[in-house]
Amino acid sequence: SALVPTTTAVSSISTQDSETLVEQVFDFFLSSNGRFLRDALVLEIVDTLDSFQLMTAEEAHRISFGLVPSPMDKPDRERMKIIEEVIRGSIRKTSDDLSSDLGARSIPKSSKTSASNLSMNVVAVFLKLIRENQYDSAELSYMMRAITGELAVRNTRRFWRRLLKIQEDSIKARERSSRTRSKGTVS
C-alpha cells in the first residue's frame, strides 16, 4: 500500500533526516492538533499491555498446574505476534549495529528488516528526545495516566466478573446440595 515504506524509501532516509522527521512527527503528535492520534495510540498501548498480561496469566495458570486460575478473557495473539516481530527486529538491529561497530561484514537486509529498522530508529529517537527532556509535557503525563487508568479499569472489571462468577458457582453448588439432601430425606 502507499503508506508502507518500500525498501528503497527506507534505505534512502539518512539518520539525520529520520531524526528530524521523527522530531517533527512528535511535535505534531504532542500538539493540540495531534490529540486524536494520542488517544488512538493510548488504546493500542493498552490493548497490547492487556494482551501481554493475559498471556502472562495463562502461563502462570499452566506452570502452576491450575493453582493460579486461568484468565476469563483471552489475549490477542495476533497483536502479540506483531510485537514479537518488532522485538526480534530490534534485537537484529542491535546485533547488526554491534557487528558494524566491530567491523564485521554486515548481512544484506530484507525489506521486512529494513522496515523494522526504521521502526526501531523511530523508537530510539523518541527515547532520546524524552531523555533530553524535550517532551516532558503534560501530554505525556496524560498518556501515562490514561494507559494506567484504562488498564486498572479492565483489571477491576475482570476482578468483579471473577468474584461474581465464584459467587454464582457457590450459589449453584449450594442449591444442588440442598436438592440432593431434600431428595434423600423424601425417599
Side-chain angles (χ1 to χ4, degrees), residues 55-111:
M55 286 184 77
T56 303
E58 282 182 343
E59 189 63 15
H61 173 72
R62 187 186 68 73
I63 64 174
S64 72
F65 300 105
L67 291 175
V68 174
S70 65
M72 295 180 79
D73 297 329
K74 298 296 175 204
D76 182 343
R77 296 200 184 285
E78 188 62 33
R79 175 183 301 277
M80 297 314 292
K81 206 180 301 182
I82 292 168
I83 296 300
E84 180 183 5
E85 288 175 19
V86 169
I87 290 170
R88 285 181 193 271
S90 171
I91 291 168
R92 219 176 298 129
K93 179 180 178 359
T94 302
S95 173
D96 290 347
D97 289 349
L98 182 60
S99 295
S100 66
D101 288 347
L102 297 173
R105 203 169 84 195
S106 79
I107 299 167
K109 295 173 179 58
S110 69
S111 61

Side-chain angles (χ1 to χ4, degrees), residues 164-178:
L164 291 172
K165 175 89 170 92
I166 291 169
Q167 186 64 32
E168 181 182 312
D169 291 348
S170 176
I171 290 169
K172 286 178 183 177
R174 274 190 256 141
E175 287 173 350
R176 280 192 306 271
S177 175
S178 85

Side-chain angles (χ1 to χ4, degrees), residues 82-173:
I82 292 168
I83 296 300
E84 180 183 5
E85 288 175 19
V86 169
I87 290 170
R88 285 181 193 271
S90 171
I91 291 168
R92 219 176 298 129
K93 179 180 178 359
T94 302
S95 173
D96 290 347
D97 289 349
L98 182 60
S99 295
S100 66
D101 288 347
L102 297 173
R105 203 169 84 195
S106 79
I107 299 167
K109 295 173 179 58
S110 69
S111 61
K112 186 174 183 180
T113 305
S114 296
S116 175
N117 287 342
L118 179 63
S119 298
M120 296 320 301
N121 286 339
V122 167
V123 171
V125 170
F126 178 64
L127 292 175
K128 177 184 151 206
L129 294 173
I130 289 176
R131 269 192 300 259
E132 293 171 355
N133 292 323
Q134 286 185 284
Y135 293 105
D136 185 26
S137 71
E139 292 304 329
L140 282 176
S141 295
Y142 160 78
M143 285 180 65
M144 293 301 118
R145 285 191 312 273
I147 290 167
T148 305
E150 181 59 30
L151 282 171
V153 165
R154 289 181 186 194
N155 286 319
T156 302
R157 281 187 195 135
R158 284 189 188 112
F159 168 78
W160 286 110
R161 277 191 4 236
R162 171 77 68 187
L163 191 62
L164 291 172
K165 175 89 170 92
I166 291 169
Q167 186 64 32
E168 181 182 312
D169 291 348
S170 176
I171 290 169
K172 286 178 183 177

Side-chain angles (χ1 to χ4, degrees), residues 17-31 125 129 135:
D17 289 343
S18 69
E19 285 187 23
T20 302
L21 180 62
V22 169
E23 287 178 26
Q24 290 172 348
V25 167
F26 282 108
D27 282 341
F28 173 76
F29 184 73
L30 294 173
S31 73
V125 170
L129 294 173
Y135 293 105

